[in-house]
Amino acid sequence: MKRFARILALCCLTAALLAGTAYADVGPKPQLTVRVENGPDEPYYLDLLAEGALNGGWEGPSWDVEQAMERGEIDLALLDALCAAVPEGWHACASQGTGGAPIYGGLTGEDGVHTFGYAGVPSVYRVLIVTGSGEVWMSGTCRREVLQAAVTVDWAAKTVKTPPLWVGYTLQFMSTLLPTLLFEGLILLLFRYEWRKNWKVFLAVNLVTQTALSIFLSITSLQNGVGPLFLILFVPAEAMIASVEAGVYRKFLQGHSRRRAVLYGLTANLVSAVIGWDILEPTWNWIVRIS
């Protein structure tokens, strides 16, 4: 039992160190990734447009744009051209502000990938691109259907493609499943279970429980963001999943006692929940880039 206690303490300490300091503002946030294919052969700025004029609240450029301006990295003429191209009844989120909530994201991307995140990411938006030579292109009105979405702009064809809703849900599901499999798999080995004998039950249990969790929380976390309702649902949902997995592992894991199997199930779920809460967004970004 002392050995189990040491393993449990080690896993919990690892989770705490990897997750970092807990703040009230942790957890997945709204995000929109814009991938530009066949992009301009010259410098350009890309911004998201949201409906409505700015009437107070959070105004001014995003933190990233502001920092770039302080470093002298912003082409002010190109920025002015972008702001001038914003149509009436809309505003540029990163360049001009969001009118109520902060947003992260700059005007230049990385290898054609532009990421905007935090509470100010609009649900209804347009994509605006302005090049150094003065060419302007603006998409039609799009809607972000899930918490963290991705769209593709084909600059050559002057089109924007929003993937089907099921793609967004699938990517979101994978961004939670992959870290879960990684951390719970490592903990399985720490508990000295033989992988060859137990990988099937391990994979089946996680596929079923993660699918159930994604469906259960889809209305709040994927469509409405993370708020009080999400926290109210997330904690008991994770507790229920931990108890279910512990019960299944107690019966089907091979090689050690039932007590160890239960302890593994509870420990693995605690660690993956704590770490996954912080690394959901980086995992999502990675999946979007490779998909």
Side-chain angles (χ1 to χ4, degrees):
M1 192 64 187
K2 289 183 178 180
R3 178 182 296 175
F4 295 160
R6 288 197 296 268
I7 295 176
L8 176 60
L10 175 61
C11 292
C12 292
L13 178 60
T14 302
L17 291 175
L18 290 176
T21 305
Y23 294 95
D25 194 34
V26 297
K29 298 294 187 297
Q31 182 172 300
L32 181 65
T33 302
V34 182
R35 293 184 295 188
V36 178
E37 296 181 347
N38 306 310
D41 295 326
E42 58 179 323
Y44 70 92
Y45 284 164
L46 182 150
D47 205 347
L48 298 181
L49 304 184
E51 291 183 296
L54 294 174
N55 296 313
W58 181 274
E59 295 189 16
S62 69
W63 185 86
D64 300 89
V65 175
E66 185 177 356
Q67 292 297 306
M69 293 177 69
E70 292 181 358
R71 295 191 298 266
E73 298 172 354
I74 290 292
D75 184 332
L76 296 180
L78 186 53
L79 177 61
D80 289 340
L82 186 146
C83 293
V86 177
E88 185 177 355
W90 295 78
H91 60 272
C93 296
S95 304
Q96 299 174 327
T98 61
I103 185 172
Y104 294 143
L107 301 175
T108 58
E110 182 178 346
D111 297 327
V113 178
H114 302 253
T115 302
F116 301 88
Y118 214 69
V121 175
S123 297
V124 177
Y125 65 93
R126 302 172 79 174
V127 178
L128 174 63
I129 298 178
V130 177
T131 70
S133 63
E135 187 173 359
V136 176
W137 176 82
M138 183 167 50
S139 74
T141 302
C142 306
R143 180 176 293 273
R144 178 174 55 85
E145 299 286 356
V146 295
L147 182 67
Q148 296 180 329
V151 298
T152 300
V153 169
D154 188 328
W155 172 255
K158 300 297 188 292
T159 59
V160 60
K161 180 173 66 175
T162 57
L165 187 57
W166 68 266
V167 173
Y169 280 98
T170 300
L171 293 178
Q172 203 91 57
F173 171 68
M174 292 302 295
S175 67
T176 59
L177 176 65
L178 293 181
T180 297
L181 293 178
L182 173 62
F183 291 111
E184 294 195 14
L186 289 175
I187 296 171
L188 186 73
L189 299 179
L190 283 176
F191 272 74
R192 300 192 177 186
Y193 280 99
E194 189 174 342
W195 180 255
R196 182 176 57 85
K197 294 181 178 179
N198 295 290
W199 74 267
K200 290 183 180 179
V201 64
F202 167 79
L203 182 60
V205 166
N206 278 284
L207 284 174
V208 171
T209 56
Q210 288 302 311
T211 300
L213 180 64
S214 295
I215 294 174
F216 180 64
L217 296 177
S218 62
I219 295 177
T220 54
S221 66
L222 296 185
Q223 295 183 350
N224 301 323
V226 177
L229 180 60
F230 176 84
L231 295 176
I232 292 173
L233 295 176
F234 179 80
V235 174
E238 283 287 356
M240 182 178 296
I241 285 177
S243 63
V244 169
E245 289 193 5
V248 174
Y249 289 143
R250 180 179 183 272
K251 185 175 182 179
F252 292 105
L253 281 184
Q254 302 178 33
H256 294 290
S257 67
R258 293 184 175 182
R259 178 182 297 181
R260 180 182 292 203
V262 171
L263 184 60
Y264 161 71
L266 298 176
T267 303
N269 274 275
L270 173 62
V271 173
S272 64
V274 172
I275 297 177
W277 186 259
D278 262 2
I279 69 171
L280 175 62
E281 291 181 23
T283 306
W284 162 266
N285 291 335
W286 175 71
I287 290 175
V288 167
R289 285 179 177 271
I290 67 174
S291 62

